[in-house]
Amino acid sequence: MKTLLNVMEQVNNRNAGEREFHQAVREVLESLEPVLEKHPEYVKAGIVERIVEPERQIMFRVPWVDDTGIVQVNRGFRVQFNSAIGPYKGGLRFHPSVNLGIIKFLGFEQIFKNSLTGLPMGGGKGGSDFDPKGKSDGEIMRFCQSFMTELYRHIGEDTDVPAGDIGVGGREIGYMFGQYKKIRNQFTGVLTGKGLTWGGSLVRTEATGYGLCYFVDEMIKAKGKSFKGASVVISGSGNVAIYAAEKVYQLGGKVVALSDSNGYIYDADGVKLDTVKRIKEIERKRISDYTKIHADAKYFDGFRGIWTVKCDIALPSATQNELDEDAAKALVANGCFAVGEGANMPSTPEAIEIFHKNKVLFAPGKAANAGGVATSGLEMSQNSIRYQWSFEEVDEKLKNIMANIYKNASETARAYGLEDNLVAGANIAGFLKVANAMLALGV
Ligand code: NDP
């Protein structure tokens, strides 16, 4: 369709070199042709042209002093992509690979993901090219304080509410929230992922991983399958991977492999999560240390090899484009019947094509990992009413939200004649709500 081709061309030209952003936009636009045919009013109102252009992009200097007294300078970002259905909402990523294109791809995906949750949240994302690895606690604190010293003027509980992402967990959220509170003299729900004694929500830590399994469970249940007795491979060993693994065990499956950016471990008896939590969450060490404690387990260098491990279900939960065409072929050859994306855009377009062709049930990240931001939305609600719900209450709400997202994505796919294509179903369902709001709000 001409409109979509023109928009894609303009995105490529206007955002030259931003590969991940182009990839994320292309995937959504590819789903929208039947929608625009049915809704000429979206074309007339320039909804697609507007939705691919962030409302605001902020880039700033983040100077901080390291432990040797030397001044270091990083770059900070916040992309406020779309606020049609609520305040901007999306995580902050601290990783050396961060650049404007990566933040834009994540912010763009966030628009549709947040829409799918059914909660009133717009899309945004931010971060820095700061590398938290190997930094002391003092360095992390000084960096976070400097980052917030600029960011505070752009955010607020009704404007933009950041959360964590790669490299940003409870510790970093704490230092940033502390700095915001100091500067503004306000105790408000301006960040989510807060500690339980200072405004956080129960289940937020577990939410993305748990939510991923709830979604995948719905998807495989619809085809008469379950986690019971299934072998599961999960990439990454961070927040998403660890709590996905925890839920896999609760649902009766067995996790046989986990990874980090250096390599992966294979434990045929099932990975012992207590050990992984201690190594990664408390000691902040490498996944290779696992084999020092469990001698029967094996460690392999290189994180990509994890997809050659035989499994029934694969949950890529590390980073974008970590699962390519060859990895998808290896999974199919080994009999994997379902893939659920815990990370954002972990599968390349070629890999997704292989899954669809081979009838592997495929849950796209936009839908499957929305449990994190959904629970952040629940944290915002609790902050607004100054109350804390119990673990069971939040977990129940999370479960319902994930089941609704699955239902919405699969029914939308069916309504557009694309049965079982949850990529298209999620893109279209997420888009419709935002597009209708944009229409109602005027240009
Ligand atoms: P963490 O920082 O807690 O963990 C990230 C994990 O992925 C680590 O094991 C890390 O290994 C690995 N990793 C990071 N970068 C790479 C890379 N370039 N290659 C290989 N492995 C890598 O992050 P999260 O678990 O929070 O996030 C993981 C993914 O889930 C991201 O795509 C994120 O955007 C997405 N996500 C997170 C949500 C959340 O609530 N946290 C919500 C929705 C999506 P190492 O330690 O070696 O760097």
Side-chain angles (χ1 to χ4, degrees):
M1 180 186 247
K2 197 152 166 270
T3 310
L4 294 170
L5 289 175
N6 288 347
V7 173
M8 195 63 236
E9 197 183 331
Q10 186 161 39
V11 166
N12 288 339
N13 293 338
R14 252 197 198 150
N15 309 278
E18 297 177 356
R19 274 184 307 117
E20 292 84 359
F21 180 49
H22 300 171
Q23 183 183 335
V25 172
R26 190 172 309 112
E27 189 214 274
V28 171
L29 296 193
E30 277 172 2
S31 306
L32 292 185
E33 188 162 339
V35 181
L36 297 193
E37 274 165 8
K38 211 164 156 183
H39 295 278
E41 68 274 22
Y42 295 157
V43 178
K44 186 157 176 253
I47 298 292
V48 183
E49 286 87 341
R50 284 194 274 151
I51 215 166
V52 298
E53 187 66 24
E55 288 174 16
R56 198 171 295 103
Q57 307 180 51
I58 302 147
M59 280 170 68
F60 52 96
R61 178 173 68 188
V62 190
W64 56 281
V65 181
D66 71 17
D67 285 347
T68 65
I70 305 287
V71 174
Q72 304 286 342
V73 179
N74 285 98
R75 183 170 281 181
F77 303 87
R78 187 72 185 164
V79 173
Q80 299 179 328
F81 225 115
N82 193 298
S83 60
I85 62 168
Y88 309 106
K89 181 91 196 88
L92 297 169
R93 175 176 292 191
F94 292 169
H95 193 272
S97 64
V98 163
N99 57 42
L100 186 60
I102 293 213
I103 298 299
K104 269 155 74 178
F105 120 63
L106 291 163
F108 182 70
E109 294 248 297
Q110 200 81 43
I111 303 170
F112 308 98
K113 180 187 312 195
N114 293 3
S115 162
L116 284 168
T117 66
L119 300 172
M121 299 182 289
K125 198 83 186 188
S128 172
D129 56 4
F130 173 73
D131 186 359
K133 242 181 245 150
K135 302 288 189 300
S136 72
D137 231 29
E139 289 176 322
I140 298 279
M141 182 179 75
R142 291 192 293 280
F143 173 80
C144 288
Q145 290 175 335
S146 178
F147 186 82
M148 187 51 82
T149 300
E150 172 58 34
L151 188 68
Y152 88 94
R153 63 187 96 242
H154 308 290
I155 61 176
E157 59 177 338
D158 295 319
T159 313
D160 182 357
V161 183
D165 190 78
I166 291 179
V168 178
R171 173 180 61 167
E172 292 75 18
I173 293 289
Y175 293 142
M176 287 190 275
F177 185 71
Q179 183 73 351
Y180 183 89
K181 192 167 72 61
K182 224 178 275 172
I183 299 174
R184 277 276 161 98
N185 193 26
Q186 275 178 1
F187 196 110
T188 58
V190 69
L191 292 169
T192 57
K194 301 187 289 299
L196 293 178
T197 56
W198 39 279
S201 172
L202 286 155
V203 196
R204 178 59 189 93
T205 305
E206 297 85 353
T208 310
Y210 278 23
L212 168 65
C213 292
Y214 293 149
F215 187 96
V216 171
D217 199 33
E218 292 290 325
M219 175 178 78
I220 62 181
K221 234 171 30 196
K223 301 289 173 194
K225 308 213 177 219
S226 95
F227 270 103
K228 273 215 174 69
S231 271
V232 183
V233 163
I234 306 179
S235 63
S237 48
N239 174 265
V240 179
I242 286 177
Y243 291 95
E246 187 165 288
K247 189 50 77 179
V248 166
Y249 281 117
Q250 289 172 13
L251 294 172
K254 180 168 80 171
V255 179
V256 292
L258 284 176
S259 63
D260 62 19
S261 53
N262 295 112
Y264 70 97
I265 51 159
Y266 172 71
D267 189 336
D269 295 335
V271 170
K272 316 298 176 289
L273 258 195
D274 286 348
T275 308
V276 176
K277 282 187 184 174
R278 196 172 70 238
I279 294 172
K280 301 304 280 191
E281 292 185 335
I282 299 168
E283 297 167 0
R284 296 181 190 276
K285 286 190 183 157
R286 310 306 301 157
I287 199 71
S288 55
D289 287 294
Y290 181 91
T291 52
K292 291 182 189 154
I293 300 152
H294 302 287
D296 288 348
K298 291 192 176 72
Y299 174 75
F300 300 88
D301 267 330
F303 66 91
R304 285 185 191 275
I306 194 168
W307 306 121
T308 62
V309 175
K310 186 171 167 49
C311 65
D312 302 306
I313 299 171
L315 304 176
S317 303
T319 195
Q320 63 272 2
N321 291 329
E322 54 163 311
L323 198 168
D324 61 12
E325 187 176 358
D326 289 342
K329 284 181 178 159
L331 285 168
V332 170
N334 278 329
C336 170
F337 70 79
V339 175
E341 294 189 324
N344 285 309
M345 211 169 75
S347 315
T348 63
E350 296 77 19
I352 297 173
E353 213 179 306
I354 300 276
F355 295 141
H356 280 157
K357 265 194 194 143
N358 288 279
K359 305 261 179 262
V360 173
L361 303 172
F362 180 72
K366 225 180 251 122
N369 72 30
V373 72
T375 309
S376 277
L378 300 177
E379 182 172 331
M380 289 165 73
S381 306
Q382 292 168 84
N383 291 161
S384 297
I385 57 173
R386 301 196 188 280
Y387 190 71
Q388 195 176 51
W389 295 322
S390 69
F391 190 96
E392 291 71 25
E393 278 173 293
V394 182
D395 194 33
E396 197 52 38
K397 289 186 201 308
L398 171 64
K399 218 182 276 176
N400 282 334
I401 289 171
M402 298 316 295
N404 282 335
I405 297 176
Y406 171 72
K407 193 163 172 271
N408 192 3
S410 58
E411 282 177 359
T412 305
R414 196 172 310 124
Y416 279 85
L418 297 161
E419 180 106 27
D420 290 338
N421 184 340
L422 296 177
V423 174
N427 285 341
I428 295 172
F431 173 83
L432 285 173
K433 183 174 169 194
V434 179
N436 288 334
M438 288 172 76
L439 264 188
L441 299 179
V443 179

